[in-house]
Amino acid sequence: MSMSMSMEEEQPKSRGKPIRCRAAVCRKAGEPLQIEEVEVAPPKAWEVRIKIICTSLCHTDVTFWKMESPPATFPTIFGHEAVGVVESVGENVKEVREGDTVIPVLLTDCQDCGDCNSKKSNKCSRFPFMVSPSLPRDGTTRFTDSQGEVVNHFAYISSFSEYTVVDIANVTKIDPSIPPNRACLLGCGISTGIGAAWKTANVEAGTSVAIFGLGAIGLAVAEGAGIRGATKIIGVDLNPEKFEIGKKFGVTDFINPSDCGNKPVHEVIAEMTDGGADYCFECVGSTSVAHQAFARCRKGWGKTILIGFEMPSSQLSFSSYEVLVSGKTIMGSLLGDFKPKTDIPLLVKSYLDKELRLDDFVTHEVQFEDINKAFDLLISGKSIRCVIWMDKKFPPPI
Ligand code: NAD
Ligand code: ZN
């Protein structure tokens, strides 16, 4: 018997059967996650069961963890920035096989609808983006707790579990040679920031950029804008510590709104950019910041790109006269307008080719049982990205 055959025989032991494993379950909005044993059902048709290697915490998880009403639902398993290995696949899945390294991505890419077939969109119309408590195709869940009660999915991913089930439309196969604690970042935040600069805004060389919020998303915008040759990259953040880390990603100037006295931030930016930045990026998730960003993008050609998640009911208000006369553009950007299956493998290559810098985004690493520390670090502004390792074999280096 050949080596590969014996390996194949070993792998499918769990195939077709439920797996019991550890998951960090959130039972109530804002409460610490609890590591519990859950049962993860086998993948149905068009689904993939993934063994998560590591996952990182994005502010979007925190936003929905705090949210007491729908679209947030409880109990749930959060997490949507991750990398893992395919444990088994359901019927009709041809794109990946057991053992493949994959990044599950919250935006679906059905590769069949008008949007997925268009170069202009990453917004699948067959399975539209939703903070769904279940899987996209049949609206049911694959998680149950020790009492046999259903535990919800989050945004089709739920990576805060040793195993998760994801639709094949949410799975991107990647080159396994990228280290997992770098690959996971590409599942959401870093891809979003880079794509917002490259695809949504299409930043040109020699231009000025203002970034509101220097978390991982804002810093990735800076990285993307720098690669494109932007010459002035202004970072705006209430946390003064973000300037030092911002410099590593090419931020040239820093504004702390608390230090501006009575002068509104947008006036300070106007002075620094001769009337307004060519591109303004909202990377906080605040309507008041979105208004500041729009106020200070340059008339005539300025673009404001909204990235931060606010409560779905929040409203923006502009005078129609202002929009008409200024000629500015305001745009939303989900996952930086990247198409997961096409663009994420290119970002992996860019990292492996030493073009795209990912290393400095990871400021902390913890083991799965310490997942609540990752929340504390992000909320207190101490971390950019905290990687959470599922397997005890990987002790955090610090
Ligand atoms: P983060 O918490 O790491 O960073 C947010 C930063 O904003 C912090 O540095 C904070 O100090 C700063 N900040 C807060 N209030 C501010 C204010 N009033 N003015 C200036 N700065 C302020 O978060 P992150 O993980 O980088 O995520 C940022 C936002 O992007 C979140 O709203 C998240 O939900 C959203 N997001 C959107 C997408 C997308 O596809 N559109 C993808 C990922 C994340
Ligand atoms: Zn995210």
Side-chain angles (χ1 to χ4, degrees):
M1 186 185 292
S2 76
M3 182 68 167
S4 64
M5 273 182 75
S6 62
M7 292 266 295
E8 275 203 4
E9 273 171 17
E10 268 172 36
Q11 277 192 353
K13 267 186 203 154
S14 50
R15 189 198 283 164
K17 296 183 194 140
I19 291 181
R20 289 189 159 273
C21 68
R22 295 182 307 157
V25 179
C26 182
R27 299 224 155 246
K28 201 166 168 228
E31 283 193 354
L33 312 188
Q34 296 172 24
I35 304 284
E36 296 183 17
E37 190 180 85
V38 293
E39 191 169 284
V40 186
K44 291 191 180 177
W46 307 105
E47 292 173 358
V48 178
R49 190 161 55 185
I50 301 169
K51 180 184 198 311
I52 298 293
I53 305 295
C54 63
T55 176
S56 42
L57 177 68
C58 167
H59 205 109
T60 309
D61 294 304
V62 175
T63 302
F64 287 94
W65 166 74
K66 281 186 191 160
M67 206 176 279
E68 289 182 356
S69 48
T73 55
F74 300 94
T76 195
I77 298 173
F78 286 110
H80 65 277
E81 261 187 19
V83 65
V85 172
V86 174
E87 174 273 336
S88 62
V89 301
E91 255 177 75
N92 306 330
V93 173
K94 307 268 182 292
E95 203 180 309
V96 296
R97 46 193 285 192
E98 287 161 16
D100 281 349
T101 301
V102 293
I103 294 182
V105 183
L106 81 184
L107 274 194
T108 47
D109 191 347
C110 81
Q111 302 193 296
D112 197 32
C113 72
D115 283 71
C116 289
N117 277 319
S118 162
K119 282 191 180 149
K120 291 189 254 174
S121 171
N122 69 347
K123 285 150 197 84
C124 177
S125 35
R126 195 160 162 219
F127 307 118
F129 171 74
M130 295 205 275
V131 188
S132 169
S134 54
L135 288 173
R137 247 171 250 258
D138 74 354
T140 62
T141 74
R142 304 287 165 270
F143 295 115
T144 39
D145 67 12
S146 56
Q147 309 299 310
E149 301 291 331
V150 162
V151 180
N152 293 323
H153 293 246
F154 173 69
Y156 302 141
I157 305 296
S158 292
S159 57
F160 295 163
S161 175
E162 288 173 321
Y163 288 85
T164 187
V165 175
V166 173
D167 194 281
I168 185 62
N170 294 91
V171 174
T172 294
K173 184 176 164 178
I174 58 153
D175 181 339
S177 56
I178 180 169
N181 57 353
R182 303 294 180 259
C184 63
L185 307 176
L186 295 173
C188 177
I190 311 311
S191 300
T192 297
I194 300 281
W198 290 357
K199 285 194 91 169
T200 317
N202 194 12
V203 170
E204 292 175 336
T207 53
S208 57
V209 172
I211 303 166
F212 294 76
L214 294 180
I217 309 324
L219 294 171
V221 170
E223 171 75 0
I227 292 174
R228 278 290 180 90
T231 38
K232 199 168 215 22
I233 304 179
I234 303 166
V236 182
D237 203 298
L238 296 168
N239 179 349
E241 285 168 26
K242 295 295 171 102
F243 190 34
E244 273 315 303
I245 180 123
K247 284 184 196 164
K248 290 190 185 174
F249 292 94
V251 173
T252 55
D253 302 81
F254 183 71
I255 302 173
N256 184 343
S258 328
D259 296 342
C260 294
N262 291 332
K263 209 181 242 185
V265 170
H266 63 86
E267 276 182 28
V268 180
I269 295 176
E271 284 165 13
M272 291 166 86
T273 54
D274 198 18
D278 299 312
Y279 310 94
C280 288
F281 294 86
E282 199 284 342
C283 310
V284 176
S286 146
T287 45
S288 83
V289 175
H291 283 124
Q292 287 171 35
F294 187 67
R296 205 30 72 205
C297 72
R298 199 195 182 286
K299 72 172 169 50
W301 61 69
K303 290 182 185 170
T304 297
I305 290 90
L306 302 185
I307 307 175
F309 271 94
E310 252 277 42
M311 287 294 286
S313 56
S314 318
Q315 303 282 315
L316 290 172
S317 95
F318 304 105
S319 91
S320 56
Y321 185 83
E322 183 195 356
V323 175
L324 189 139
V325 170
S326 71
K328 301 175 192 176
T329 307
I330 186 158
M331 316 163 85
S333 182
L334 262 184
L335 200 75
D337 283 318
F338 276 146
K339 281 182 179 294
K341 288 179 197 273
T342 327
D343 293 316
I344 289 180
L346 298 177
L347 294 177
V348 170
K349 182 173 183 313
S350 179
Y351 172 76
L352 292 172
D353 290 345
K354 301 198 168 22
E355 289 158 7
L356 178 64
R357 289 174 296 179
L358 292 177
D359 301 350
D360 288 332
F361 287 103
V362 179
T363 52
H364 298 78
E365 304 195 48
V366 297
Q367 288 182 343
F368 189 35
E369 47 273 37
D370 295 325
I371 189 164
N372 289 305
K373 276 192 199 159
F375 278 69
D376 295 342
L377 287 163
L378 190 67
I379 293 164
S380 62
K382 293 196 177 75
S383 68
I384 299 298
R385 278 296 185 259
C386 179
V387 170
I388 299 143
W389 288 94
M390 309 309 281
D391 192 326
K392 289 198 168 77
K393 269 197 314 229
F394 297 99
I398 39 172

